[in-house]
Amino acid sequence: MDIDAWLWWLIGAAVLGIALVITAMPELGMLAVGAVAAAVVSGIFGGGAVVQVVVFTVVSTALIAVVRPIANRQRVQRPHLASGVDALKGRQAVVLERVDGSGGRIKLAGEIWSARSLDAARSYEVGQEVDVVEIEGATAIVM
């Protein structure tokens, strides 16, 4: 049984696609697209072996050269979303019980938290607004 060249290219593309899924290396996907392009040149346009290899090389290289820098730029520019206690840092809270260096209570993000002042000599009275600068365990450090 003689297998046409375009089928070999599609088998190669499938192998590269499987390798992409296993390794999560996007470059393998770009090589797979190059293999599909070579299969199209072979099957539809009847290009010879040299033309197929050139199409595979040009398409794969072009995709890697163009898509990779764009993907890297997007990865770097993605905003960092704070969650959990990190999202509470920098928020304002209202003092419920006097807060000083040894403790107190605040209302932060709709919940009651233990709190202490960042500056042990400073105290905050009921109703005063404070800024959360750190979370240590279940205690908010405020100023």
Side-chain angles (χ1 to χ4, degrees):
M1 179 169 129
D2 189 25
I3 298 179
D4 292 334
W6 66 268
L7 190 53
W8 283 113
W9 284 110
L10 288 182
I11 291 169
V15 168
L16 287 166
I18 291 168
L20 165 68
V21 171
I22 292 172
T23 64
M25 290 181 58
E27 292 83 3
L28 294 176
M30 296 172 209
L31 292 173
V33 172
V36 169
V40 167
V41 166
S42 173
I44 295 177
F45 300 112
V50 172
V51 173
Q52 294 170 32
V53 171
V54 167
V55 166
F56 169 75
T57 305
V58 168
V59 169
S60 298
T61 303
L63 283 173
I64 290 172
V66 172
V67 173
R68 196 167 174 207
I70 293 170
N72 284 339
R73 210 171 325 130
Q74 290 296 323
R75 189 181 69 234
V76 170
Q77 292 176 354
R78 190 175 9 199
H80 171 70
L81 299 175
S83 62
V85 295
D86 289 333
L88 299 175
K89 293 177 188 175
R91 303 236 354 223
Q92 285 194 329
V94 177
V95 176
L96 298 177
E97 291 177 13
R98 184 174 191 265
V99 175
D100 55 26
S102 60
R105 296 226 180 263
I106 59 170
K107 187 167 191 174
L108 172 62
E111 297 179 351
I112 298 174
W113 280 74
S114 299
R116 67 178 170 80
S117 64
L118 180 63
D119 179 3
R122 180 107 194 248
S123 63
Y124 303 95
E125 299 303 323
V126 175
Q128 203 172 353
E129 286 192 357
V130 292
D131 293 319
V132 176
V133 293
E134 188 66 48
I135 302 288
E136 289 182 0
T139 302
I141 311 302
V142 300
M143 63 180 275

